């Protein structure tokens, strides 16, 4: 990473061990997300993460809070990356664009591309790959009902990796996906920061980011996106918004350029 905040996180976790004992329950490993009106936020910072340092001590979630060089705060969680999203209203102008990037079927794609299968079910990634291809066929044919049904199946199947009551339960496979996914999303953010210093992060949420960017920078931002796709082996879908309003990371409303909300 070029950003010193992202590097600080990397230096905290790169030499850690992961706790993924087969019998472990993940109920204490939910993503801790900062909300302005969350009275229990400080308590969440002391909950355990899946990381253990070389001295054997479990790292609290509060040690995985990132502040980048621009002052934006992110939570590196178990489920996915979130920023402490600024509250406000953004409008597209002649000079500034609201540009959203989502990774296509992010976590299922990571399962397939990197063969992150439960140790007791090694054919999992192959089956997920077939379902992904089937979803793409329906998407190209604009069969929305079938495409959305397969999206639900894929995401639900991945979710079972962290369900201790499921036959698919394997924390190692789960953490392999979510931790690498978050690092890759930070890499995408880092690359955009470098090519477009005047871009502002609006929303970072698990499988995508939304930025407020100078229109003159869009070609070089898209070049960075293409480079990231080659590195990560993931696909990106982009969209422009006319207006974006948000209260928190998970509470927002956007008006697309096509007029859809």
């Amino acid at each position: 990473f070029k950003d010193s905040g992202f590097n600080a996180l990397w230096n905290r976790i790169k030499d850690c061990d992961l706790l993924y004992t087969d019998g472990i329950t993940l109920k204490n490993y939910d993503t801790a997300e900062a909300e302005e009106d969350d009275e229990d936020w400080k308590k969440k910072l002391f909950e355990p993460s899946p990381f253990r340092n070389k001295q054997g001590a479990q790292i609290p979630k509060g040690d995985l809070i990132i502040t980048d060089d621009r002052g934006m705060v992110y939570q590196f969680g178990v489920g996915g990356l979130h920023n402490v999203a600024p509250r406000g209203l953004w409008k597209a102008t002649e000079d500034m664009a609201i540009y959203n990037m989502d990774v296509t079927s992010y976590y299922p794609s990571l399962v397939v591309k990197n063969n992150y299968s439960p140790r007791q079910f090694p054919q999992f990634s192959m089956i997920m790959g077939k379902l992904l291809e089937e979803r793409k066929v329906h998407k190209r044919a604009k069969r929305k009902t079938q495409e959305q049904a397969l999206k639900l199946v894929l995401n639900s199947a991945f979710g079972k990796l962290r369900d201790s009551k499921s036959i698919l339960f394997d924390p190692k496979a789960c953490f392999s996906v979510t931790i690498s996914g978050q690092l890759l999303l930070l890499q995408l953010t880092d690359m955009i920061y470098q090519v477009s210093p005047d871009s502002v992060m609006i929303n970072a949420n698990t499988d995508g980011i939304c930025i407020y960017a100078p229109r003159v920078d869009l070609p070089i931002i898209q070049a960075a996106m293409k480079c990231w796709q080659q590195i990560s082996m993931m696909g990106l879908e982009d969209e422009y918004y006319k207006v974006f309003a948000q209260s928190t990371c998970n509470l927002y409303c956007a008006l697309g350029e096509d007029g859809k909300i």
Side-chain angles (χ1 to χ4, degrees):
F1 300 113
K2 299 290 186 181
D3 188 276
S4 64
F6 296 167
N7 265 330
L9 169 81
W10 174 240
N11 288 329
R12 279 199 294 274
I13 66 173
K14 67 179 180 180
D15 294 324
C16 288
D17 293 324
L18 273 176
L19 301 172
Y20 53 78
T21 308
D22 288 339
I24 201 169
T25 60
L26 304 186
K27 63 181 180 180
N28 291 325
Y29 288 162
D30 293 329
T31 298
E33 181 182 340
E35 303 287 2
E36 291 182 15
D37 55 355
D38 187 350
E39 295 179 357
D40 293 327
W41 168 241
K42 290 183 179 179
K43 295 179 182 178
K44 291 181 181 179
L45 297 183
F46 295 101
E47 290 181 0
S49 76
F51 298 102
R52 179 175 55 196
N53 63 27
K54 291 304 181 184
Q55 289 71 45
Q58 198 164 4
I59 295 177
K61 290 178 180 176
D63 286 352
L64 303 178
I65 303 292
I66 318 156
T67 302
D68 68 26
D69 290 339
R70 302 176 179 201
M72 178 57 65
V73 179
Y74 301 81
Q75 166 67 40
F76 192 91
V78 174
L81 185 74
H82 293 77
N83 71 328
V84 182
R87 183 175 297 182
L89 175 72
W90 291 261
K91 293 183 179 181
T93 67
E94 288 185 3
D95 298 322
M96 300 295 292
I98 306 170
Y99 193 40
N100 188 72
M101 292 155 265
D102 282 324
V103 189
T104 309
S105 296
Y106 195 19
Y107 284 178
S109 293
L110 282 169
V111 167
V112 174
K113 296 290 184 180
N114 296 285
N115 192 25
Y116 290 144
S117 294
R119 286 163 286 180
Q120 71 276 20
F121 191 23
Q123 62 269 46
F124 180 74
S125 63
M126 179 189 68
I127 294 171
M128 292 283 276
K130 291 181 178 179
L131 291 173
L132 267 176
E133 290 304 314
E134 187 177 346
R135 185 190 173 198
K136 290 177 184 177
V137 170
H138 289 304
K139 192 169 187 176
R140 286 194 293 267
K142 297 184 178 180
R143 293 190 286 265
K144 189 171 182 179
T145 300
Q146 293 92 327
E147 187 264 329
Q148 289 295 310
L150 281 168
K151 177 181 178 180
L152 181 61
V153 169
L154 285 160
N155 289 336
S156 298
F158 166 73
K160 290 299 179 183
L161 297 179
R162 61 184 297 174
D163 181 357
S164 60
K165 294 183 174 62
S166 171
I167 194 173
L168 297 176
F169 178 63
D170 187 350
K172 181 180 181 181
C174 175
F175 293 154
S176 295
V177 173
T178 60
I179 291 170
S180 59
Q182 290 175 96
L183 289 170
L184 284 170
L185 202 59
L186 283 178
Q187 184 184 51
L188 174 62
T189 303
D190 192 53
M191 294 168 72
I192 291 173
Y193 276 0
Q194 302 314 309
V195 301
S196 180
D198 294 324
S199 291
V200 177
M201 178 65 68
I202 299 175
N203 186 287
N205 193 340
T206 306
D207 63 354
I209 59 176
C210 184
I211 60 173
Y212 196 51
R215 291 190 185 273
V216 70
D217 288 352
L218 290 176
I220 195 168
I221 289 173
Q222 289 162 351
M225 290 165 56
K226 185 177 181 180
C227 180
W228 181 85
Q229 289 179 91
Q230 293 171 342
I231 294 169
S232 66
M233 299 184 294
M234 298 291 109
L236 282 171
E237 299 175 350
D238 59 356
E239 185 176 8
Y240 293 94
Y241 297 138
K242 290 182 179 179
V243 181
F244 192 96
Q246 73 181 357
S247 176
T248 67
C249 186
N250 288 316
L251 185 59
Y252 59 86
C253 183
L255 176 65
E257 287 196 340
D258 58 3
K260 293 182 180 179
I261 296 176

